[in-house]
């Protein structure tokens, strides 16, 4: 089950934000029934897990349900919970106050997330912390201790900071995800050092006031005491409006990791700002680009530790996501006092659950409640007829289908698995581990493709040993790009499970083809665990690679995009090119060819270091054609394939020229950027940002060729058009581009290629169009 996506992230966001009476229960169309959610919270109260709470649910940018439950306080007297109760947010401070403030300063070019923290706080840069960057802290990858001893804070604020600066990292910066309060304390101090205003003042003036957050504040005023949810006692007094976290308390109530107070209504306004690309009620807090940078998930090399800047995405702390919100796309956070918020930007669904579970004795529990509520809220919205959350067929990749069959296709087989970090089940478990632990399969060897087993290596890949299973991993992108006879010794089956992106020059399909050829020679069976093509709706586009230009980025003659899954391609390769191996494809269940990736409910895992979202996969078949030319196509930036440029380009002129071609589904915006790697690294470039306005109309191959035509026309030999031949692999199409008087005639040169390939692929298509 999965909340249906509604187009490219952010393109369908609405600015609407409304809050109705208490409780609100007005989902769009048919009234949503939240009785099951109510029951879950009431049962938690009866068990003593929480004294009470406030739940707020947003969908499509509007608050559709908000309700108070149970008691605000149990001691010293019982008082009922109210919707306007002000809660100690605890660690929700991290994303809402601290990370948002840091992102504002990033937006204003006052902080570089890739820069060492010591650039801004020199005394922090010692004892091994010199290389810790701002990004490391935002992602909890700085290697810092979760919390240093409370005694370090008892001699005043100045001494506390001396003690923090004296800390040593426990792990190498960037190597591991280790949740840490200390890192966010430092980020709070970073705001003060860079801007001059302390965190509480900066947040109040730059975020709370413009958004109209009336009750979101550090050190809340005593005048509102009757509205505060108490936590526990400190020095014989109930903490009611006083921060619960002991370190934040000793830092005078203002810290980057804890100290913020708020209400459910205020948090819906904050969430609406994020969903509306950084703006609410005509007040802009963050640019749309920086919002996307903030909420984009980033994983470690082994696929774990999924975090965004300040937000949790996919870790052991992700319980509020429940069973149905999309893993890897939605994001949120929790707080120790019993607070949580989870946001799905695709369906614009927000689930806010505020409790004071530590009241009165610190023994309350909310982890299971958060998960149950997250699940039940989505199910309630799905039952609403016109909610836009209609129940979708569950898309099951080949590995999940294989697992559900109890590994029938591989029982008793001695397997060599070709895979990387994208070879995972719906639940996120590696195909390596599923086969190794199945009891039915003998996993003898692992083969890794370009970028290695963890998908992070640029260039040649060496052999390694998988740490968990102790199985040897042989590289197919190093000394050899084919399994050798020695590699296949003792193996009777090759299993292939890698996520492709649907473009001819993405090398994983060549790795598949070479493996099939060697398997046929060795009489080894091949089983392909199929996966969706993320850009299948594009269909067949672009010129076919020519026989004399076949290579590792052009395995066989085929257009730039083929609209097929990797399993379908395996069937076509096997028969059309007479490979003749013993082939079996384990089909995907519940998928059809008109589905974009974000309509499948599957987690996006970057299939290569620079392929970070569906939009980039959509643009890659066109922009990738320019890769060999004297251009930066965004490698070494946060948005590869979404922008291009060079020191010799006039950005505004190029944007005007490209927009004049009226390329469907796209708009070109002039941009300046400096790549940190690859072409023109460290050099200021002008160029264009490519904004997708309607992905269903985009024609990537035509786009890439039109850009090349325009650059060649404007800049001539400086552009170095001949270099395009490497990726294009079609001299005929290149010649047409060089001589055409108008760019709109370029598609004529490959119309026959497209028609021929469509006819060729038809017998091998395994899935319906809709």
């Amino acid at each position: 089950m999965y909340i249906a996506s509604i187009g490219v992230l952010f393109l369908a966001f609405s600015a609407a934000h409304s809050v109705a009476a208490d409780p609100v229960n007005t989902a769009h169309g048919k009234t949503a029934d939240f009785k099951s959610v109510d029951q879950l919270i009431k049962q938690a109260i009866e068990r003593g897990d929480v004294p009470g709470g406030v739940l707020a649910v947003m969908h499509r940018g509007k608050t559709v349900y908000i309700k108070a439950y149970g008691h605000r306080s149990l001691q010293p007297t019982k008082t009922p919970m109210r919707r306007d109760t002000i809660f100690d947010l605890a660690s929700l401070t991290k994303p809402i106050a601290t990370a948002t403030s840091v992102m504002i300063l990033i937006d204003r070019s006052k902080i570089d997330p890739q820069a060492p923290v010591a650039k801004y706080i020199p005394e922090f840069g010692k004892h091994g912390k010199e290389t810790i960057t701002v990004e490391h802290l935002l992602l909890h990858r700085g290697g810092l201790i979760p919390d240093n001893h409370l005694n370090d804070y008892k001699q005043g604020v100045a001494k506390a900071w001396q003690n923090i600066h004296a800390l040593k990292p426990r792990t190498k910066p960037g190597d591991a995800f280790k949740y840490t309060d200390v890192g966010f304390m430092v980020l709070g101090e970073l705001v003060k050092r860079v801007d001059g205003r302390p965190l509480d003042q900066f947040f109040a003036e730059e975020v709370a006031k413009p958004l109209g957050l009336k009750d979101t504040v550090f050190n809340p005023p005593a005048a509102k005491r009757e509205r505060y949810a108490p936590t526990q006692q400190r020095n014989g007094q109930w903490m009611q409006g006083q921060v619960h976290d002991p370190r934040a308390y000793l830092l005078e109530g203002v810290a980057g990791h804890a100290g913020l107070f708020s209400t459910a209504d205020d948090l819906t306004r904050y969430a609406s700002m994020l969903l509306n690309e950084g703006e609410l009620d005509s007040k802009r807090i963050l640019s749309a680009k920086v919002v996307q940078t903030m909420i984009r998930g980033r994983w470690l090399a082994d696929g774990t530790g999924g975090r965004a800047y300040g937000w949790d995405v996919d870790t052991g702390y992700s319980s509020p996501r429940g069973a149905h919100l999309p893993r890897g796309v939605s994001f949120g956070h929790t707080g120790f006092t019993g607070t949580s918020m989870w946001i799905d930007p695709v369906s614009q669904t927000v689930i806010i659950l505020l409790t004071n579970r530590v009241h009165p004795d610190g023994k309350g529990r909310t982890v299971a409640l958060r998960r149950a509520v997250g699940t039940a809220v989505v199910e309630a919205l799905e039952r609403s007829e016109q909610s836009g959350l209609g129940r979708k067929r569950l898309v099951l990749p080949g590995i999940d289908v294989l697992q559900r069959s109890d590994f029938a296709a591989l029982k008793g087989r001695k397997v060599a698995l070709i895979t990387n970090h994208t070879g995972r089940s719906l639940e996120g478990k590696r195909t390596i581990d599923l086969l190794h632990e199945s009891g039915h399969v003998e996993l003898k060897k692992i083969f890794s493709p370009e970028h290695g087993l963890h998908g992070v290596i640029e260039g040649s890949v060496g052999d390694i040993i998988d740490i968990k299973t102790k199985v040897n991993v042989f590289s197919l992108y190093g000394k050899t790009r084919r399994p050798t006879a020695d590699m296949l010794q003792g193996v009777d089956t090759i299993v292939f499970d890698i996520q492709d992106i649907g473009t001819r020059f993405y090398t994983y399909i060549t790795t598949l083809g070479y493996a099939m050829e060697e398997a046929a020679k060795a009489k080894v069976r091949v089983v392909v665990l199929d996966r969706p093509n993320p850009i299948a709706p594009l269909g067949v586009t672009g010129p076919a690679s020519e026989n004399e230009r076949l290579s590792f980025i052009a395995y066989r003659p085929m257009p730039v995009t083929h609209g097929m899954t990797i399993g379908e391609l395996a069937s076509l390769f096997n028969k059309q090119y007479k490979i003749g191996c013993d082939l079996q494809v384990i089909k995907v269940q519940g998928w059809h060819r008109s589905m974009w990736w974000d309509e499948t409910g599957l987690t996006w895992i970057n299939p290569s270091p620079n392929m970070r979202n569906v939009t980039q996969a959509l643009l890659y078949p066109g922009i990738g054609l320019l890769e060999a030319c004297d251009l930066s196509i965004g490698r070494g930036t946060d948005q590869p394939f979404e922008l291009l440029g060079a020191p010799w380009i006039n950005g505004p002129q190029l944007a005007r020229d490209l927009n004049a071609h009226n390329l469907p589904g796209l708009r070109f915006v002039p941009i300046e950027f400096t790549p940190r790697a690859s072409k023109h690294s460290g050099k200021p470039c002008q160029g264009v940002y490519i904004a997708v306005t309607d992905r269903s109309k985009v024609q990537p191959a035509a786009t890439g060729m039109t850009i090349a035509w325009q650059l060649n026309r404007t800049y001539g030999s400086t552009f170095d058009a001949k270099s395009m031949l490497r990726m294009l692999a079609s001299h005929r199409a290149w010649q047409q581009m060089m001589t055409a008087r108008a760019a709109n005639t370029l598609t004529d040169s490959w119309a026959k290629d497209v028609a021929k390939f469509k006819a060729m692929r038809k017998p091998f298509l395994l899935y319906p169009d809709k």
Side-chain angles (χ1 to χ4, degrees):
M1 187 195 315
Y2 171 61
I3 291 184
S5 42
I6 50 176
V8 178
L9 202 63
F10 286 111
L11 290 181
F13 283 169
S14 161
H17 175 84
S18 66
V19 179
D22 182 12
V24 182
N25 191 358
T26 52
H28 311 282
K30 179 181 175 181
T31 300
D33 181 1
F34 288 95
K35 290 179 181 178
S36 61
V37 182
D38 294 343
Q39 188 64 22
L40 286 169
I41 298 174
K42 289 175 182 177
Q43 288 171 351
I45 293 170
E46 291 169 0
R47 290 193 303 267
D49 291 344
V50 295
V54 178
L55 171 71
V57 178
M58 297 178 67
H59 179 51
R60 291 182 179 174
K62 295 184 179 181
T63 301
V64 296
Y65 194 71
I66 187 164
K67 187 173 181 178
Y69 306 82
H71 291 87
R72 178 185 293 169
S73 67
L74 298 176
Q75 295 181 19
T77 59
K78 284 188 176 183
T79 57
M81 184 66 73
R82 291 176 52 86
R83 167 177 169 171
D84 67 354
T85 296
I86 301 172
F87 291 85
D88 180 342
L89 295 185
S91 284
L92 275 176
T93 302
K94 292 179 174 74
I96 295 170
T98 309
T100 303
S101 297
V102 171
M103 297 310 294
I104 290 172
L105 294 172
I106 290 173
D107 214 356
R108 296 173 183 175
S109 300
K110 292 186 176 182
I111 292 177
D112 177 358
Q114 307 302 325
V117 176
K119 175 182 177 180
Y120 310 102
I121 309 176
E123 57 268 46
F124 178 80
K126 56 186 178 181
H127 304 305
K129 303 192 300 299
E130 295 85 351
T131 61
I132 296 176
T133 66
V134 176
E135 180 178 79
H136 286 151
L137 297 188
L138 287 167
L139 299 174
H140 295 275
R141 296 181 189 171
L144 297 175
I145 191 173
D147 285 297
N148 53 321
H149 200 281
L150 195 59
N151 288 339
D152 287 352
Y153 298 81
K154 290 182 177 180
Q155 299 178 54
V157 174
K159 181 62 175 176
W161 277 108
Q162 290 178 22
N163 293 331
I164 289 171
H165 296 321
L167 293 173
K168 297 179 180 180
R170 289 190 164 186
T171 60
K172 183 181 177 182
D175 275 7
F177 162 65
K178 298 293 183 184
Y179 187 87
T180 168
D181 288 340
V182 174
F184 269 78
M185 292 182 201
V186 174
L187 288 171
E189 177 69 7
L190 175 67
V191 172
K192 180 180 178 181
R193 293 296 185 97
V194 171
D195 179 78
R197 288 171 287 178
L199 177 63
D200 57 337
Q201 182 184 350
F202 184 96
F203 176 77
E205 294 174 358
E206 300 289 349
V207 181
K209 184 177 179 180
L211 289 180
L213 309 183
K214 299 177 181 179
D215 298 307
T216 306
V217 64
F218 291 87
N219 287 323
K224 297 181 180 181
R225 178 179 171 84
E226 75 282 356
R227 291 175 54 198
Y228 300 136
T231 53
Q232 293 176 267
Q233 288 187 320
R234 176 181 285 134
N235 301 324
Q237 299 293 321
W238 288 103
M239 289 179 268
Q240 194 166 1
Q242 184 185 94
V243 63
H244 179 268
D245 183 272
R247 292 166 181 81
Y249 172 71
L250 292 170
L251 291 170
E252 300 179 351
V254 180
H257 72 296
L260 194 67
F261 287 72
S262 190
T263 64
D265 281 315
D266 272 8
L267 292 184
T268 63
R269 291 189 62 80
Y270 172 86
S272 293
M273 177 273 292
L274 286 184
L275 292 179
N276 198 43
E277 298 187 86
E279 183 178 5
L280 185 66
D281 298 338
S282 300
K283 300 290 179 63
R284 179 159 292 284
I285 308 300
L286 296 165
S287 69
K289 179 180 178 181
V290 164
V291 171
Q292 293 186 52
T293 299
M294 182 185 194
I295 68 173
R296 176 170 61 83
R298 298 157 174 87
W299 282 259
L300 293 166
D302 62 0
T304 64
R307 301 286 298 195
Y309 283 176
W311 295 101
D312 185 57
V313 174
D314 188 17
T315 72
Y317 300 99
S318 303
S319 64
R321 183 180 62 219
H324 309 314
L325 288 176
R327 186 175 185 171
V329 176
S330 62
F331 59 93
H333 214 280
T334 62
F336 182 82
T337 51
T339 58
S340 64
M341 177 162 67
W342 206 267
I343 302 172
D344 174 25
V346 179
S347 65
Q348 297 179 302
T349 300
V350 182
I351 303 171
I352 298 165
L353 180 61
L354 302 181
T355 78
N356 53 335
R357 65 104 189 162
V358 294
H359 180 72
D361 55 10
K363 296 181 180 179
R365 298 175 296 179
T366 52
V367 174
L369 176 64
R370 289 165 178 159
R371 182 179 294 109
V373 167
T375 300
V377 163
V378 172
E379 292 173 354
L381 289 169
E382 286 189 328
R383 288 192 293 266
S384 178
E385 288 180 350
Q386 298 179 31
S387 70
L389 290 169
R391 192 180 297 266
K392 287 286 184 180
R393 289 185 295 176
L394 186 66
V395 173
L396 291 178
I399 179 57
D400 290 275
V401 175
L402 179 70
Q403 184 182 18
R404 292 187 179 199
S405 73
D406 200 23
F407 301 91
L410 297 179
K411 281 188 175 178
R413 311 295 294 192
K414 297 177 180 179
V415 167
L417 173 64
I418 303 177
T419 193
N420 63 7
H421 61 300
T422 65
R424 291 178 179 268
S425 69
L426 272 177
E427 296 303 316
K429 196 159 188 179
R430 298 190 307 170
T431 300
I432 293 170
D433 300 323
L434 290 172
L435 296 186
H436 190 254
E437 298 165 6
S438 69
H440 303 300
V441 180
E442 189 176 352
L443 183 60
K444 303 285 288 185
K445 299 171 185 180
I446 301 169
F447 300 149
S448 65
E450 184 180 6
H451 306 300
L453 186 64
H454 303 305
V456 296
I457 299 173
E458 296 285 9
S460 182
V461 177
D463 299 340
I464 61 173
I465 296 176
D466 180 55
I467 295 173
K468 185 173 181 181
T469 63
K470 310 302 181 188
V471 176
N472 287 316
V473 182
F474 297 98
S475 171
L476 297 181
Y477 197 78
K479 296 178 181 178
T480 180
R481 297 191 178 182
R482 298 170 175 267
T484 65
D486 285 344
M487 288 181 184
L488 293 176
Q489 282 291 321
V491 169
D492 59 26
T493 305
I494 292 176
V495 175
F496 188 97
D497 188 19
I498 297 176
Q499 179 61 56
D500 187 48
I501 64 155
T503 300
R504 179 236 296 154
F505 42 78
Y506 209 63
T507 63
Y508 298 154
I509 62 174
T510 302
T511 296
L512 170 64
Y514 286 178
M516 291 172 62
E517 291 174 11
E518 299 309 312
K521 296 175 187 175
K523 301 191 182 309
V524 168
R525 186 182 181 197
V526 176
V527 176
V528 176
L529 304 180
D530 211 3
R531 292 183 173 272
N533 179 334
I535 58 171
L538 290 176
V540 181
T541 65
S545 43
E546 296 166 345
N547 279 311
E548 57 270 27
R549 297 185 181 275
L550 300 183
S551 68
F552 199 63
I553 54 174
Y555 173 62
R556 295 289 184 175
M558 69 172 70
V560 175
T561 67
H562 44 73
M564 301 175 75
T565 68
I566 205 156
E568 290 174 326
L569 282 173
S571 299
L572 183 149
F573 293 165
N574 202 38
K575 187 166 185 180
Q576 193 66 35
Y577 301 119
K578 298 180 172 55
I579 294 175
C581 70
D582 178 9
L583 174 68
Q584 180 179 1
V585 177
I586 307 295
K587 291 173 56 178
V588 178
Q589 285 186 5
W591 182 78
H592 52 76
R593 210 171 304 280
S594 62
M595 276 185 172
W596 297 94
W597 178 270
D598 51 26
E599 294 170 326
T600 65
L602 300 174
T603 299
W604 178 270
I605 300 173
N606 298 346
S608 58
N610 285 285
M611 194 62 62
R612 300 169 186 170
N613 57 50
V614 182
T615 300
Q616 292 170 7
L618 168 71
L619 295 172
Y620 178 70
I623 306 308
L625 288 172
L626 308 171
E627 178 113 38
C629 301
D630 188 31
L631 289 172
S632 167
I633 58 172
R635 293 184 185 273
T637 75
D638 289 335
Q639 294 175 293
F641 316 122
E642 296 182 63
L643 51 84
L644 61 89
W648 44 266
I649 285 177
N650 181 314
Q653 177 187 335
L654 181 60
R656 287 192 299 271
D657 290 342
L658 292 177
N659 284 324
H661 291 291
N662 294 312
L663 289 166
L666 298 175
R667 180 169 51 87
F668 297 88
V669 181
I671 191 173
E672 294 182 358
F673 64 97
T674 302
R676 297 186 298 271
S678 195
K679 294 280 183 68
H680 299 301
S681 177
K683 298 177 182 178
C685 296
Q686 286 194 22
V688 292
Y689 171 76
I690 307 164
V692 178
T693 58
D694 186 345
R695 65 177 173 183
S696 67
K697 295 180 180 178
V698 173
Q699 300 171 12
T703 297
M705 294 295 282
T706 299
I707 294 172
W709 182 90
Q710 186 63 58
L711 289 171
N712 188 58
R713 185 181 181 88
T714 306
Y715 297 102
S717 60
T718 304
F719 167 54
D720 187 21
K722 192 169 184 179
S723 297
M724 271 192 74
L725 273 169
R726 179 172 177 268
M727 305 299 287
L728 187 61
S730 170
H731 189 274
R732 184 184 70 254
W734 179 82
Q735 189 65 40
Q736 171 74 3
M737 185 272 296
M738 293 294 290
T739 58
R741 293 186 176 182
N744 60 9
T745 65
L746 296 177
T747 57
D748 296 344
S749 68
W750 62 74
K752 290 182 179 178
D753 292 349
V754 168
K756 181 179 179 180
F757 189 79
K758 282 183 175 180
M760 180 193 297
R761 76 172 192 162
K762 190 173 182 179
F764 306 103
L765 299 181
L766 302 174
Y767 306 96
D769 290 336
K770 291 184 178 180

